[in-house]
Amino acid sequence: MESFPQPETTYRFHVSYGETDAMRVAYYGEYFHWFERARSQFIRERGMSYSEVEARGIMLPVRNASCRYVRPARYDELVGVRCGIRDWGRASITFVYEVYGPPDSSAVL
């Protein structure tokens, strides 16, 4: 596995019941919400909020998003989403994410 870009942040949380289906498996679309929360935390840890970034006239629309699922996240499981920046362009930033769980494991979800 290639190394994760630095700096990085890890957003940790328990999978909520509302994020899961009848089998208590996290609904696939929830991962993108988790990515957004990790991205917001990444920005906040660097001294700004998303609102402050936008107030400076910098918009961060998502132009492309994809996810490869390795194994399911389940209800009440403690997971972490690693977030970092892979590429900086003149008018773009490419964020990358990895979902792990539980934290005592290095298992990629």
Side-chain angles (χ1 to χ4, degrees), residues 1-60:
M1 177 180 281
E2 94 182 44
S3 66
F4 203 80
Q6 299 295 318
E8 69 173 73
T9 194
T10 300
Y11 169 68
R12 291 183 174 87
F13 61 98
H14 283 89
V15 177
S16 74
Y17 188 78
E19 294 172 313
T20 64
D21 60 20
M23 296 177 293
R24 296 182 157 204
V25 171
Y27 175 68
Y28 74 92
E30 292 296 334
Y31 287 73
F32 293 96
H33 292 144
W34 302 344
F35 298 163
E36 180 149 355
R37 291 180 196 129
R39 187 171 61 248
S40 291
Q41 180 173 313
F42 181 89
I43 292 168
R44 196 175 301 109
E45 288 178 358
R46 276 132 197 93
M48 294 183 123
S49 69
Y50 233 111
S51 296
E52 291 172 302
V53 170
E54 289 180 342
R56 292 181 181 210
I58 301 167
M59 300 298 143
L60 298 172

Side-chain angles (χ1 to χ4, degrees), residues 51-87:
S51 296
E52 291 172 302
V53 170
E54 289 180 342
R56 292 181 181 210
I58 301 167
M59 300 298 143
L60 298 172
V62 176
R63 292 184 11 213
N64 184 26
S66 65
C67 184
R68 185 176 66 86
Y69 303 92
V70 177
R71 78 165 187 83
R74 299 187 180 279
Y75 168 63
D76 207 30
E77 184 174 45
L78 181 60
V79 299
V81 178
R82 288 172 65 187
C83 174
I85 295 175
R86 186 180 65 209
D87 294 313

